[in-house]
Amino acid sequence: MTRLLYALSGADRTRQFSPHVWKTVMSLAHKGLAYETVPVGFTEIPAIEGGSTATVPLLRDGDRLVRDSFDIALYLDEAYPDRPSLFGGEGGRAMARFIENWSQSTLHMAVTRIAILDIHNLLEPADQAYFRRSREERLGASLEDIAAAGKAEVEGFAKKLQPLRNMLKVQPFIGGEGPLFPDYIVFGALQWLRTTAGTKVLEEGDPVAGWFARCLDLHGGVGHRVTAA
Amino acid sequence: MTRLLYALSGADRTRQFSPHVWKTVMSLAHKGLAYETVPVGFTEIPAIEGGSTATVPLLRDGDRLVRDSFDIALYLDEAYPDRPSLFGGEGGRAMARFIENWSQSTLHMAVTRIAILDIHNLLEPADQAYFRRSREERLGASLEDIAAAGKAEVEGFAKKLQPLRNMLKVQPFIGGEGPLFPDYIVFGALQWLRTTAGTKVLEEGDPVAGWFARCLDLHGGVGHRVTAA
C-alpha cells in the first residue's frame, strides 16, 4: 500500500473529525481508491513526511505528496481520469471554489464557536495545550468564552444553510443527480459538528438534514465510520 | 430577426433593471447571439406572446419560447453548442443552481429593501400602482416602511459578498479565468441595484467591486448600456 492519508485525530485514534480530512475521505471513496489512514494529533503534523506540511489532510500517493483538500480533489481527477469525476468538468472546478469559500466563511466559524470545547476535550493532552494556546491567540478569547458565544450560534445555524435548502427543491445534490466535490465540502463542515459537539442544528424534515443523511450513506456509508458525538 | 428578448422596463423604455433579464442579456452576449429587445412594463407581461408567461425574461428564438433566466441559459447552451459554453460542463450546470439560490436568498431581499422606492419611481403610473399593491401584499408593509428598513441593509450588504470576495483571491471570475453563467447571476443582482437605487455598497478597492467592474466591461461593455442611477 503506497497510498496514505494523514488525518487529524483525537485521543481516540479512530475519531476523525477534521472537516478538511472528511472532504478527502469522501473524495477518495468517490474515486473508489483504497488507502491507509495515518492518524495524527495536531502536534505531530510538523513531523509528517519530513516536515512537508503544516496542515492535514496530506495525501501520499506513490511518490506524490499533495496537501489541501481542494488540491487533493483536483489531483485525484487528474491522476485518475477514468474514475468518477469529482467536478464534472472545467466549470465545476471553478464554481466549486465559490462553494468552498461560502462554506468556509458561512459555516466554519459557527462550527468552531459551537464545538470548540468539545474539540479540545477529545484531543490528547499535548494537543489540548497546543489547541488552547493557538485558538485563544487566533480568536482573542478563552475557549470557554468562545464556547459561551457558540450557544447563540446554534439557533441561527440552520438559516445559514438556506441556499442549499432552496437548491434541494430542484436537485438532490449540489453536484446534481449525484454528489460532486462541493457536496463533500459542505458535508465536511456538518460532519465536523456531528463528530465533535454532536449538536442538533437541523429540524427533522429539513431538506438539508435529508441531504446530509444521503451524504452519510454514500460510498458504503463511509461517513458513518465515526459515530455522532 | 426572429430572436426577441422581452425585458422589464420603466417609463424610460431603455432603462432595463430586472436582475433576471440582466442574466439573460449577459448570457446572449456571452453566446454572441443577436436579438431585439422588447421592453415591457409589469402590467404588460400577461399579454406577451398570447399569455405565455407571468414573468420576464421571456426569449422567443424562432418558434421556441423559453422562460426563466436559468432555463434560457440551459437552452442556449443546448441550442448553440458551438458557441462559448455558459456552464463549462455538467458539474457547472449543477453547481450554478447552488449559486443561483445563494444569490437569491442572500442578496435579493436586501436589494429589494434598499431599492424598492427607486424601482417604484422609475415605473409607468399603471405599473407603479401594480408594483405597490403586489409588493406591499407580498412583504406585508408599505413601500415606505420597507425602504426605511432598507437603510440598515446598506451597511451590511458588502459582508454578504464575503464568499465571492474570498474566492477572488484564487480566480478572477466564478467561472474561473473567464465568466460563466453564475457570474451573470450575481452580476444581475448588483446591476439591479446599480440601475435602480445606485447605492454605493462596496468600498473602492474591494475585490468584489473590481469583479463587478470587469463584468460591466464584458462583451463590448453591454452592462454599461444603462447608466448607474
Side-chain angles (χ1 to χ4, degrees):
Chain A
M1 170 76 68
T2 60
R3 203 175 291 120
L4 299 177
L5 174 62
Y6 293 92
L8 195 62
S9 83
D12 172 354
R13 303 298 261 183
T14 68
R15 192 143 204 95
Q16 279 171 33
F17 62 90
S18 155
H20 307 293
V21 171
W22 271 107
K23 295 178 204 172
T24 299
V25 168
M26 298 302 278
S27 299
L28 286 160
H30 183 100
K31 302 294 281 189
L33 294 167
Y35 62 95
E36 210 169 276
T37 301
V38 185
V40 290
F42 274 112
T43 54
E44 296 173 303
I45 296 174
I48 299 172
E49 293 280 0
S52 33
T53 188
T55 57
V56 290
L58 174 74
L59 180 73
R60 167 165 287 287
D61 191 14
D63 56 6
R64 280 291 302 266
L65 272 176
V66 194
R67 269 177 298 182
D68 181 80
S69 60
F70 204 106
D71 286 343
I72 292 171
L74 291 171
Y75 162 76
L76 293 175
D77 258 13
E78 199 179 286
Y80 303 98
D82 297 340
R83 290 165 178 262
S85 171
L86 283 158
F87 293 99
E90 203 178 332
R93 277 198 294 281
M95 294 179 213
R97 284 290 189 191
F98 178 88
I99 299 166
E100 179 189 44
N101 281 291
W102 172 79
S103 179
Q104 195 77 26
S105 67
T106 308
L107 306 178
H108 278 232
M109 186 47 68
V111 176
T112 297
R113 287 199 182 114
I114 294 170
I116 202 156
L117 270 181
D118 303 282
I119 297 169
H120 173 270
N121 294 342
L122 59 75
L123 301 175
E124 291 277 11
D127 289 333
Q128 287 188 345
Y130 159 81
F131 185 79
R132 177 176 289 277
R133 194 176 58 246
S134 62
R135 267 48 178 183
E136 291 189 343
E137 191 180 306
R138 187 188 300 171
L139 301 169
S142 72
L143 295 192
E144 287 71 14
D145 283 353
I146 297 161
K151 297 215 171 81
E153 294 278 2
V154 175
E155 207 184 337
F157 197 86
K159 194 159 178 278
K160 296 177 192 287
L161 291 153
Q162 197 59 37
L164 178 57
R165 191 170 294 115
N166 291 347
M167 186 216 71
L168 290 168
K169 289 175 192 161
V170 291
Q171 58 194 30
F173 289 101
I174 303 174
E177 288 306 306
L180 289 174
F181 187 62
D183 288 282
Y184 306 145
I185 291 173
V186 185
F187 171 79
L190 296 190
Q191 177 77 328
W192 181 28
L193 182 61
R194 173 180 172 272
T195 56
T196 55
T199 313
K200 186 179 149 77
V201 288
L202 300 172
E203 297 295 325
E204 311 285 334
D206 184 335
V208 177
W211 164 85
F212 185 63
R214 283 196 294 283
C215 288
L216 280 170
D217 288 344
L218 287 168
H219 314 308
V222 59
H224 291 290
R225 257 194 222 156
V226 179
T227 55
Chain B
M1 169 77 69
T2 59
R3 203 176 290 119
L4 300 177
L5 174 62
Y6 293 92
L8 195 63
S9 83
D12 172 353
R13 304 297 261 183
T14 67
R15 192 145 204 93
Q16 279 171 34
F17 61 91
S18 155
H20 307 294
V21 171
W22 271 106
K23 295 177 205 173
T24 299
V25 168
M26 298 302 277
S27 300
L28 286 160
H30 183 100
K31 303 293 282 188
L33 294 167
Y35 62 96
E36 210 168 276
T37 301
V38 186
V40 290
F42 275 111
T43 55
E44 295 173 302
I45 296 174
I48 299 171
E49 293 281 0
S52 34
T53 189
T55 58
V56 290
L58 175 74
L59 180 73
R60 169 165 286 288
D61 191 14
D63 54 7
R64 281 291 301 265
L65 272 177
V66 194
R67 270 177 297 182
D68 180 82
S69 60
F70 204 105
D71 286 343
I72 292 171
L74 292 172
Y75 163 76
L76 293 175
D77 258 12
E78 200 180 285
Y80 303 98
D82 297 340
R83 289 165 179 262
S85 171
L86 283 159
F87 293 99
E90 202 178 333
R93 276 197 295 281
M95 294 180 212
R97 285 289 188 191
F98 178 87
I99 299 165
E100 180 189 43
N101 281 291
W102 172 78
S103 180
Q104 195 77 25
S105 66
T106 309
L107 306 179
H108 278 232
M109 186 47 68
V111 176
T112 297
R113 287 199 182 112
I114 295 170
I116 201 156
L117 270 181
D118 303 284
I119 297 170
H120 173 271
N121 294 341
L122 59 76
L123 301 176
E124 291 278 12
D127 289 333
Q128 288 188 344
Y130 159 81
F131 184 79
R132 178 177 288 277
R133 195 175 58 246
S134 62
R135 268 48 179 183
E136 292 189 343
E137 193 180 305
R138 186 187 300 170
L139 300 170
S142 72
L143 295 191
E144 287 71 14
D145 283 354
I146 298 161
K151 297 217 171 81
E153 294 277 3
V154 174
E155 206 184 337
F157 197 87
K159 194 160 178 276
K160 295 177 193 287
L161 291 154
Q162 196 60 36
L164 178 57
R165 190 171 294 115
N166 290 348
M167 186 216 72
L168 290 168
K169 289 176 192 162
V170 290
Q171 58 195 31
F173 290 100
I174 303 174
E177 288 307 307
L180 289 174
F181 188 61
D183 287 283
Y184 306 145
I185 291 174
V186 184
F187 171 79
L190 296 189
Q191 177 77 327
W192 180 28
L193 182 61
R194 172 180 173 271
T195 56
T196 55
T199 313
K200 187 179 150 77
V201 288
L202 301 172
E203 297 294 325
E204 311 286 333
D206 183 336
V208 177
W211 163 85
F212 185 63
R214 284 196 294 283
C215 288
L216 280 171
D217 288 344
L218 287 168
H219 314 308
V222 58
H224 290 290
R225 257 194 223 155
V226 179
T227 55

